[in-house]
Amino acid sequence: MTKSETIKEGAPVSWQDTSLGETDQVQLATQIMNIMEQGIILWSADGVCQLHNSRVFDVLELDPSALGIGTSRADFLAAALARGEFDAAQLAEHKRRFNTHVAFQFDRILPSGNIVATYARPMREGGYVVTFTDVTKARKSISELASAKQAAEEAQAKAHTILIEERSRRAEARALTDLDEWLQSCKSLDELFKIVAKFMAFLLPGSSGELYLYSNSRDVLDGACDWGKNSGLSDNVTPDSCWSLRRGRAYEFNPDALCFPCDHIAAGREMGDYVCIPVIAHGDTVGLLHIHFAAKSSRADIKSLGRFATRSAEHISMAIANVKLRDELHSQSIRDPLTGLYNRRYFMEAMRRETAAAVRGGKGYGLISFDADKFKTFNDNHGHEAGDMVLRELADRMRTEMPDNAVCARVGGEEFAVLLPKSDLGESMKQAEKLRKAVEAMEVRTTFGLLPRVTISSGVVSHMGDSTSPSALLKLADEALYVAKSGGRNRVEASKPATR
């Protein structure tokens, strides 16, 4: 086929099929190679450049003098080594691969930092066609995509962690809210202790612990409540036996760290991870919360549970302070400050309750009214301080001699009353006589010596479900008391039916 001959339609044609001379064929191949984006070098079987395109100089950032027809592949690779595109070990590997006559590829790092992917493919005649592609932007995009993916994964993990922490915080807040609601509903410390033990076992599963409160003397802490299988509640512990009380802050014991166990830990008890937290309310330390964590708890779990336990201790401390304050105020409102007995207001309320119970079909109750004989003369002769001592001794005798269910009260200066639930007149008379004898045998000593003997006169009455009001019943008892005084004092008189 010549240049003037037409190409028949449908016949496959390549430039090698044309009747071009060798020079023309090389020029045509070079033109085609120059159109391509990659740099291309054709190495002969003996490692000599037979052909290359112009693009190779741009891709490899070479001067035109660095490569030409007839350039040795060994010199070309040595120049690349000198430019720092790869090291000596990599050069030796590249030479070995060229000798194996198999396809391979590697990257070149140019002095400018660009990355060129080099692909070597063997030819049938024994030479190699090597292409060079600038992959800097592609690799950068891949790197940026990988970095973006990693950043997204890290952000997702962080968001997941924050979500878990937020859910945990909300769960803790709800638990503490429930705890607060129950604690604020407590009407006594005993009830509070039961709630604390129940909640701590629920909120800190697998843990065990104890709650201690300072005694009134402030020299020891009394055991209040405990929970868990491995709890070791002591009757009392001393403040200096706990590192948290001595240091004034929470103390976490880690057996694998530089820590020292508290002395209040029971002997023989397994010394695992635990935390001691001072229970502080209104700036005053009122107790100690000790928590022993489960043996398989991780360090992170212990830290988290320790923080939650500290928050729980804050809520418990305020509840304890509130209940104590409420009890103190209530006690002040119903107790006589000198003797510790109930006051007249509380005694009349107790009588109304017993009266209502008797009217509904109860067994009724007995009432004793008494006072100290010639107490005014006693005060005048020995002073009010001695008189106060006598009143306190009388109160002590009432507490020791009267039944446990009796309501003992100081209703006036030297006037006292005792309510005896479920007692008839006969039983009430026996109790009144028992008290009279105990007071008669009583000795009161002061710094000045033994005081004169004190006696009492008592009036007794019973309520058996009739319509008599509490105030009227107390008046009947007082009338019987006056009869006892007029009969010679140091006596017990029962209310006569005629007077009722």
Side-chain angles (χ1 to χ4, degrees), residues 3-26:
K3 292 182 180 180
S4 60
E5 292 175 333
T6 59
I7 301 175
K8 295 181 180 180
E9 185 177 357
V13 178
S14 69
W15 64 271
Q16 292 175 329
D17 296 329
T18 62
S19 300
L20 296 176
E22 184 177 348
T23 302
D24 292 336
Q25 292 180 2
V26 171

Side-chain angles (χ1 to χ4, degrees), residues 80-299:
L81 174 65
R83 291 192 299 271
E85 295 179 9
F86 39 72
D87 56 29
Q90 291 172 324
L91 174 60
E93 178 64 16
H94 300 334
K95 288 182 178 180
R96 185 190 68 79
R97 288 180 173 180
F98 273 118
N99 292 330
T100 61
H101 202 66
V102 295
F104 65 94
Q105 68 181 62
F106 60 91
D107 286 344
R108 293 169 177 261
I109 308 298
L110 303 185
S112 64
N114 287 350
I115 303 172
V116 175
T118 303
Y119 299 89
R121 294 176 177 83
M123 296 190 300
R124 187 182 306 168
E125 296 80 4
Y128 266 91
V129 176
V130 182
T131 60
F132 305 91
T133 305
D134 188 345
V135 295
T136 304
K137 292 183 178 179
R139 295 290 173 82
K140 184 178 180 180
S141 298
I142 293 174
S143 177
E144 290 176 350
L145 180 61
S147 298
K149 182 179 179 182
Q150 182 180 359
E153 290 175 350
E154 291 175 354
Q156 183 180 7
K158 185 177 181 180
H160 183 65
T161 301
I162 293 174
L163 179 61
I164 292 177
E165 291 177 351
E166 179 63 17
R167 287 176 176 174
S168 176
R169 187 192 65 80
R170 291 184 179 182
E172 290 180 359
R174 287 194 298 270
L176 290 175
T177 299
D178 290 342
L179 177 61
D180 268 343
E181 182 179 345
W182 282 101
L183 292 177
Q184 296 305 321
S185 303
C186 293
K187 61 182 180 181
S188 67
L189 283 176
D190 289 339
E191 200 171 62
L192 183 144
F193 298 150
K194 293 178 182 178
I195 291 174
V196 168
K198 188 75 173 179
F199 259 84
M200 295 307 288
F202 175 76
L203 298 177
L204 302 175
S207 70
S208 58
E210 307 93 41
L211 175 65
Y212 297 91
L213 294 185
Y214 269 105
S215 63
N216 293 332
S217 60
R218 300 287 297 182
D219 57 344
V220 296
L221 293 97
D222 298 326
C225 66
D226 63 343
W227 70 92
K229 296 181 179 179
N230 299 321
S231 63
L233 184 67
S234 302
D235 292 338
N236 52 70
V237 298
T238 58
D240 61 357
S241 66
C242 181
W243 287 111
S244 69
L245 296 178
R246 292 164 67 176
R247 300 167 69 182
R249 56 187 175 88
Y251 175 68
E252 180 181 327
F253 176 78
N254 178 5
D256 299 325
L258 183 60
C259 296
F260 303 95
C262 297
D263 292 338
H264 64 83
I265 304 299
R269 186 176 182 182
E270 182 181 355
M271 197 63 68
D273 291 275
Y274 71 80
V275 62
C276 289
I277 306 169
V279 180
I280 301 174
H282 306 300
D284 183 32
T285 303
V286 299
L288 168 68
L289 183 63
H290 171 80
I291 301 173
H292 212 94
F293 298 107
K296 296 182 180 179
S297 300
S298 65
R299 183 56 46 193

Side-chain angles (χ1 to χ4, degrees), residues 398-462:
M398 293 173 69
R399 280 187 284 263
T400 57
E401 300 297 332
M402 294 294 99
D404 293 337
N405 64 344
V407 180
C408 303
R410 180 188 179 196
V411 295
E414 70 275 16
E415 299 171 2
F416 297 86
V418 180
L419 187 151
L420 299 168
K422 301 178 181 179
S423 298
D424 55 16
L425 184 61
E427 178 62 27
S428 300
M429 287 291 292
K430 292 179 181 178
Q431 294 294 340
E433 181 62 22
K434 176 184 177 184
L435 179 62
R436 185 196 67 78
K437 291 180 178 179
V439 172
E440 186 179 24
M442 180 177 70
E443 292 184 351
V444 181
R445 293 183 179 274
T446 67
T447 54
F448 303 104
L450 186 65
L451 292 176
R453 188 183 67 168
V454 177
T455 60
I456 59 173
S457 297
S458 305
V460 181
V461 68
S462 65

